[in-house]
Amino acid sequence: MAGIGLRVWFARGKPSWCGWQQYQRHTNKDGNVGNESAQDLSIESALDKLEGMAAQRNYAYACQYAEAHPIDDSTGLLSDSELELVAEHGAGAWQFEVNDDNIGVSVRNGTEVEFTGGEQSLVANMQFPNQQRVYYYEVRLTRLTHGTNVAVGIAMHSYPPLRLAGWARNSVGYHTCDGSVYRSHPLDRIRNTRPAYTSDTLGVGWRPRSGKAFFAINGVIISHVRTPWAQKRLYPIVSADGPCSLSVNMGTHAFVLSHANMRYWAVAPPEGQRPPPPLYHCASESLLLAASPSAPFICSSHDIPPGYDDDHCALSLSS
């Protein structure tokens, strides 16, 4: 595998990961797929164990990207400017934006994501707030082409934009194609659940105080995962390696997982909590735009706020 080395290999092609024979793992009684050595493998050893050129070059790309873009593994809460966004938009403040490196990915209204091919990932614009015990979001598989693998989960900032969630450092992700949960490495499959299909709703939960993540399908929790990232700055992440359409719900609508609604696990209230603008009769120093740019305008008593000075009512724009 020396020929692959650490050259920059961009994940333009679609890897046929589904159904690949990966190297031997030992399944524990609790469902864990024991592979403790995966995180300790050298890059060369990992490349030897990955089957297929696509998997090898995508892994090499992720390693080099991580070296060039150090991940922020600090602890912390939302910044003041982010709190302002939350106050104004509620859960709608969390949105997904296309990275400059993404190809064939589009986002509508911040949460409607369309992938067209190749390993691609999008990280939310803000971290989990890290103030309550549990946070949760859901992703509906609106359209899922046969053979496409969708991965959803959590990741730290500066995650490789051409890598599925769970297959690069400091991330964990559930993969629809084989129903497995991966943590920070394509050879570290730590849970084996069931696959997901079109119209299924995937759920991702994060417990910042304990560093535990969990996953759900159609309102049923299917897996819990321990991580060493308690109180770290973790972000929602969605990713895919082929054509599909996803609809992300950060809490602007009711969740399929009813427990998440009852316990208020959303990242924020559904809507912002800023007060509405003042009514005319409560306003002071308000401006009245009561003139047409093309002709003189005389306003009536019904056109002005209560208490407005009548001397300013008649406006002439003839000059």
Side-chain angles (χ1 to χ4, degrees):
M1 298 300 149
I4 290 186
L6 283 181
R7 287 177 291 173
V8 179
W9 292 82
F10 292 99
R12 301 299 189 228
K14 174 185 171 183
S16 55
W17 185 271
C18 298
W20 279 7
Q21 295 291 327
Q22 298 189 45
Y23 77 107
Q24 295 296 321
R25 303 179 180 89
H26 171 69
T27 304
N28 301 321
K29 293 180 180 179
D30 62 356
N32 270 327
V33 181
N35 187 9
E36 297 178 358
S37 62
Q39 301 292 336
D40 300 325
L41 287 173
S42 67
I43 295 175
E44 292 76 12
S45 297
L47 289 170
D48 285 335
K49 295 179 182 296
L50 289 169
E51 295 187 8
M53 290 294 295
Q56 293 166 352
R57 67 171 175 258
N58 293 350
Y59 177 77
Y61 152 77
C63 292
Q64 183 151 359
Y65 188 93
E67 291 295 329
H69 302 81
I71 289 181
D72 177 12
D73 61 352
S74 63
T75 60
L77 308 176
L78 294 175
S79 66
D80 291 342
S81 60
E82 290 171 333
L83 291 174
E84 285 288 321
L85 283 176
V86 175
E88 184 173 356
H89 301 288
W94 275 261
Q95 298 186 351
F96 293 85
E97 299 175 350
V98 177
N99 188 286
D100 291 340
D101 292 337
N102 290 123
I103 296 177
V105 183
S106 59
V107 180
R108 291 184 297 105
N109 302 321
T111 55
E112 304 292 327
V113 185
E114 184 92 14
F115 293 97
T116 59
E119 278 196 48
Q120 310 278 339
S121 64
L122 297 180
V123 177
N125 61 332
M126 295 196 302
Q127 67 173 71
F128 293 104
N130 284 354
Q131 291 182 309
Q132 63 190 41
R133 294 180 60 185
V134 185
Y135 292 100
Y136 180 80
Y137 74 96
E138 290 183 337
V139 181
R140 188 174 189 273
L141 305 177
T142 307
R143 178 179 63 88
L144 185 59
T145 303
H146 179 72
T148 292
N149 188 18
V150 171
V152 300
I154 59 176
M156 292 186 185
H157 198 50
S158 297
Y159 191 81
L162 305 180
R163 197 61 170 150
L164 294 182
W167 282 358
R169 287 189 299 178
N170 299 303
S171 71
V172 59
Y174 163 83
H175 290 229
T176 62
C177 195
D178 60 1
S180 295
V181 177
Y182 293 86
R183 183 179 56 197
S184 299
H185 201 287
L187 297 176
D188 194 3
R189 187 180 68 173
I190 56 177
R191 286 287 190 277
N192 187 17
T193 62
R194 76 164 183 86
Y197 308 96
T198 297
S199 298
D200 282 343
T201 297
L202 313 178
V204 180
W206 173 239
R207 301 177 182 271
R209 298 179 186 177
S210 63
K212 294 180 181 178
F214 62 89
F215 298 91
I217 299 180
N218 298 331
V220 178
I221 295 178
I222 58 171
S223 175
H224 292 81
V225 179
R226 291 181 179 272
T227 78
W229 308 323
Q231 296 297 337
K232 300 289 186 180
R233 298 180 185 273
L234 272 298
Y235 294 72
I237 180 174
V238 296
S239 55
D241 66 359
C244 63
S245 300
L246 311 178
S247 179
V248 185
N249 177 17
M250 297 301 302
T252 54
H253 306 288
F255 293 123
V256 176
L257 179 63
S258 58
H259 201 64
N261 299 315
M262 294 185 290
R263 296 295 184 92
Y264 303 103
W265 285 354
V267 293
E271 299 178 352
Q273 297 178 328
R274 285 187 181 277
L279 298 176
Y280 271 133
H281 66 271
C282 297
S284 61
E285 300 181 359
S286 295
L287 295 177
L288 177 63
L289 303 179
S292 167
S294 59
F297 181 84
I298 304 299
C299 57
S300 69
S301 59
H302 300 290
D303 296 321
I304 60 175
Y308 193 79
D309 188 355
D310 290 341
D311 293 337
H312 297 286
C313 183
L315 301 177
S316 175
L317 301 179
S318 56
S319 57

